[in-house]
Structure formats: structure tokens, C-alpha cells
Amino acid sequence: MSGTEQNARPCSDPDCDKKGNLRCAGCKRVWYCSRDCQKLHWKKNHKKDCKFYQEQDKKEAEGLDQEEAMVLHHREFQRIIKEYKLDKPKTAEKLSAFLSDPSHDNGQVTPEMMNKEFGLEEGDAKTFLAWIHIGVQYKTENLDGTKEKLKNIGLA
């Protein structure tokens, strides 16, 4: 496998299962296997997303307030789910089991583990896991019984 093939990322067009090395020159957040997939994805929805990402990068450079940061982080989480096809039923089921597996060291899943199991790049894995942590924290603090259940299995 060549270095180029090794570094290939899943195509961002949700209807494509290939990998590629073509990166959006505008937002630099999505990857494609071909110009055809890039054109199709642009027409479907990336045109507005690309502009949004570029605006958010500019705001981030200037400093975001907490609410804007959460919106940006959530959009990144959604991009990661689409890009790595984590919403496909079999993959989602495998991901759910993987994240809730108590045999992980101290119940923790690392970016390296996400890379090995699902092919997520380190930065994407960190963003994904941070958002999962936010969700678990919210559930623990706001939904009845969750904190007690987590204590019972040694995670709180």
C-alpha cells in the first residue's frame, strides 16, 4: 500500500464507500475519492456547510463564546458521524457496544482505540469522544437514575 493509499480518508459523500485524498480547498474539513463525488456532495449540501465552516474558523480565530463553540463542536460531531459512516446500522451497533464495553482500561476509550477500531483520525476521535463525554455528563446530571446506575457499575 502506498503512502497515499495509507493516508486516504473516507469519502465525505454519504452515498460513497470509497476512500480518497482530495480535500476541500475551502473548509479543509472534508475529503473525497474523486472530483465527481466532490461535485455531487457540493450540490447536495456541502456548499452551505463549507461557507459555515469557513465563517466558524474565522470566528474561532477571533474567539467564540461558549454557545457558539458548542454549535461548532456539534457540527463537527455530525460531520465525523457522516464522514466515517458511524450512523450505518451495523457500525452504530458496533460503536455503541464498543463505547459501553466495561473491559476498557478504567472504562475509558482513547482516540487511539477509536482509530484502531473505526479508522478515526486522532483529531476527529478526540472531537467525537469529547462530544460523547458531554452527552454522558448531561444525562448523568439531568436524567433520573443515571447517576445512581453509573455509581452501581463503578463509573461515577
Side-chain angles (χ1 to χ4, degrees):
M1 183 182 297
S2 74
T4 303
E5 291 169 342
Q6 235 175 358
N7 296 326
R9 308 257 321 245
C11 184
S12 293
D13 182 1
D15 297 324
C16 181
D17 292 327
K18 297 178 184 174
K19 291 186 176 188
N21 293 307
L22 301 175
R23 189 176 198 182
C24 176
C27 68
K28 298 181 179 30
R29 293 184 187 204
V30 297
W31 299 79
Y32 300 100
C33 65
S34 68
R35 289 278 297 146
D36 289 339
C37 274
Q38 184 178 17
K39 288 177 186 176
L40 285 170
H41 192 232
W42 182 262
K43 289 177 184 175
K44 287 178 191 173
N45 69 353
H46 186 61
K47 184 176 182 176
K48 67 177 173 60
D49 288 346
C50 188
K51 184 176 181 176
F52 173 83
Y53 291 141
Q54 290 178 63
E55 288 171 4
Q56 290 303 315
D57 287 345
K58 185 178 177 185
K59 282 183 181 179
E60 192 173 280
E62 296 168 357
L64 294 174
D65 66 24
Q66 189 172 4
E67 187 174 323
E68 288 176 315
M70 287 295 278
V71 169
L72 179 61
H73 196 176
H74 185 257
R75 283 195 81 125
E76 276 297 286
F77 179 73
Q78 293 296 342
R79 177 194 61 79
I80 292 164
I81 288 171
K82 287 180 186 175
E83 181 175 327
Y84 294 95
K85 299 177 180 24
L86 300 175
D87 55 347
K88 300 284 184 191
K90 286 184 181 179
T91 306
E93 193 173 304
K94 179 180 174 185
L95 177 62
S96 177
F98 182 76
L99 291 172
S100 59
D101 184 348
S103 70
H104 298 306
D105 290 336
N106 298 322
Q108 298 293 315
V109 175
T110 66
E112 294 79 19
M113 293 164 72
M114 290 296 292
N115 174 271
K116 183 178 179 184
E117 196 67 31
F118 298 96
L120 273 71
E121 295 290 325
E122 183 179 359
D124 288 343
K126 285 179 180 179
T127 299
F128 181 85
L129 291 171
W131 192 257
I132 293 296
H133 178 73
I134 289 167
V136 169
Q137 186 176 11
Y138 175 84
K139 184 176 180 191
T140 301
E141 293 171 2
N142 297 289
L143 301 177
D144 290 339
T146 302
K147 194 169 194 170
E148 192 60 36
K149 288 176 187 173
L150 289 174
K151 279 183 183 177
N152 290 339
I153 61 172
L155 295 176

